[in-house]
Amino acid sequence: MSRVALACASHTPLLMREELADAETVGAVQASFDQLSGFVKDFAPERIIQFSPDHFHGFHYDLMPSFCVGAAATSYGDYGTAPGPLAVDEDYAVAVLNAVRDADIDAALSYDMIVDHGFVQIWEVMFGRLSDLPITPIFVNAIGFPLPKYRRARQLGEAVGRFAARSGERVLFVASGGLSHDPVVPRMSGASPELRDRLTGRAPLTREKQAERERAVHAAGLASLAGEGSCRPLNPEWDNAFLDMICASDWSATDELTPDSVDLAAGAGGNEALAWVAAASAAAAAGGGYQVVQRDYRPIPGWIAGMAILAAHGRDDAL
């Protein structure tokens, strides 16, 4: 059996909201996640290395890294996800960081990482929990422009994958985010003084402000469902072209992507595809390539997301 596996899934604040999608769609997405959860259970990972973004809950413009490895992490608990600590192996996380830096990727380190639905949602939909899973979280900045290059995300993943391959353990690489996705994302450009204070972390996000934020996203989902509002339309053509790149391990194609071009084609959340590139390139480096066993996709306007789910086994030629 392969000692390497890959699991990637879109996330959205509005995931599984039945008032924003028809019953057939909700059922199909749940069935896809059920299939993915079966894949993860059968693989029985000893380690999970997850690449995901944050949405100004844990990382702010007071100091915004391109990448950050978490040696300890806590779920914020937004959009219905549960708050609480993750089961992070501190020594393993630091070893991952050292391997990344040995590969000349200067990732940051956090002993107090805050993660949000971008990390947690995939696990709660599949298993209803997160706290006991052996996750090493790696933050990928996909929201706070300027963003890292896609080539750099691929190099990060390859460094992590080479490290994981040396362990001989069963390692699951995970990405959560995207694909085409244009939710309400604040930008520093043109921001009011109040918003700048929040984006820099000077004004902590209160639970009242978080509830206000969640109501605004829900309203945007209702408008998107009706074909109205400010959210740009989903882009299934781009989504499927990107999935083709990942399925084929076409790193020359992903290297050519730019944050600006992806934002233009796939929306303000489209650059969460950076996490997919990092996780997939890690699995390819650790497993001597990989074979895709699940690829599901459907655009869901009310959830403001091109929903994609992908799973793959490593070929293990490199082990």
Side-chain angles (χ1 to χ4, degrees):
M1 179 181 177
S2 172
R3 295 201 296 274
V4 174
L6 172 67
C8 302
S10 302
H11 67 247
T12 164
L14 304 172
L15 186 66
M16 311 311 292
R17 296 297 294 262
E18 296 181 357
E19 74 277 17
L20 298 173
D22 60 73
E24 188 275 331
T25 295
V26 175
V29 172
Q30 185 62 62
S32 292
F33 273 109
D34 290 346
Q35 182 179 343
L36 187 65
S37 68
F39 172 84
V40 172
K41 289 176 183 176
D42 290 344
F43 179 67
E46 296 169 279
R47 303 279 186 184
I48 300 171
I49 300 178
Q50 181 173 352
F51 302 84
S52 291
D54 174 71
H55 308 82
F56 295 107
H57 289 105
F59 292 87
H60 302 87
Y61 277 121
D62 57 339
L63 186 61
M64 179 67 77
S66 293
F67 312 116
C68 183
V69 178
T74 302
S75 168
Y76 174 85
D78 61 327
Y79 297 100
T81 60
L86 280 65
V88 180
D89 183 328
E90 180 178 304
D91 292 339
Y92 186 81
V94 173
V96 170
L97 176 71
N98 285 329
V100 167
R101 289 183 173 174
D102 286 344
D104 296 329
I105 307 294
D106 292 322
L109 172 66
S110 175
Y111 282 92
D112 189 23
M113 183 183 285
I114 303 298
V115 302
D116 65 9
H117 69 279
F119 273 90
V120 175
Q121 194 176 69
I122 183 174
W123 304 109
E124 294 197 348
V125 174
M126 287 196 293
F127 303 123
R129 75 196 197 291
L130 173 74
S131 59
D132 59 342
L133 298 172
I135 293 176
T136 299
I138 301 180
F139 161 76
V140 177
N141 177 22
I143 298 294
F145 273 80
L147 306 182
K149 306 299 185 187
Y150 277 79
R151 171 180 54 84
R152 205 63 170 163
R154 186 257 303 165
Q155 292 171 334
L156 168 72
E158 289 173 345
V160 173
R162 289 192 296 268
F163 166 80
R166 296 193 292 269
S167 72
E169 297 177 300
R170 291 188 307 281
V171 181
L172 174 68
F173 298 98
V174 176
S176 175
L179 294 180
S180 61
H181 185 39
D182 193 48
V184 181
V185 175
R187 295 281 173 89
M188 283 292 279
S189 177
S192 66
E194 179 185 13
L195 179 57
R196 290 179 74 91
D197 282 347
R198 182 166 73 78
L199 295 181
T200 57
R202 287 195 295 263
L205 183 64
T206 65
R207 286 295 169 178
E208 291 77 14
K209 286 291 186 181
Q210 175 63 32
E212 180 181 314
R213 185 178 183 179
E214 295 188 13
R215 288 192 294 270
V217 171
H218 187 268
L222 287 170
S224 182
L225 179 63
E228 303 170 352
S230 61
C231 295
R232 286 173 280 173
L234 303 179
N235 191 339
E237 182 179 359
W238 187 90
D239 292 342
N240 280 294
F242 176 77
L243 288 170
D244 288 344
M245 296 177 199
I246 297 298
C247 289
S249 301
D250 189 350
W251 310 126
S252 62
T254 63
D255 279 359
E256 291 179 0
L257 297 172
T258 68
D260 286 339
S261 69
V262 172
D263 182 88
L264 182 64
N271 279 297
E272 291 174 345
L274 284 158
W276 285 59
V277 170
S281 59
Y290 50 76
Q291 180 177 0
V292 174
V293 296
Q294 179 183 0
R295 172 179 169 168
D296 296 328
Y297 173 79
R298 62 176 58 210
I300 308 176
W303 294 357
I304 320 177
M307 284 295 304
I309 293 177
L310 182 143
H313 281 298
R315 299 186 186 279
D316 284 351
D317 296 339
L319 298 180

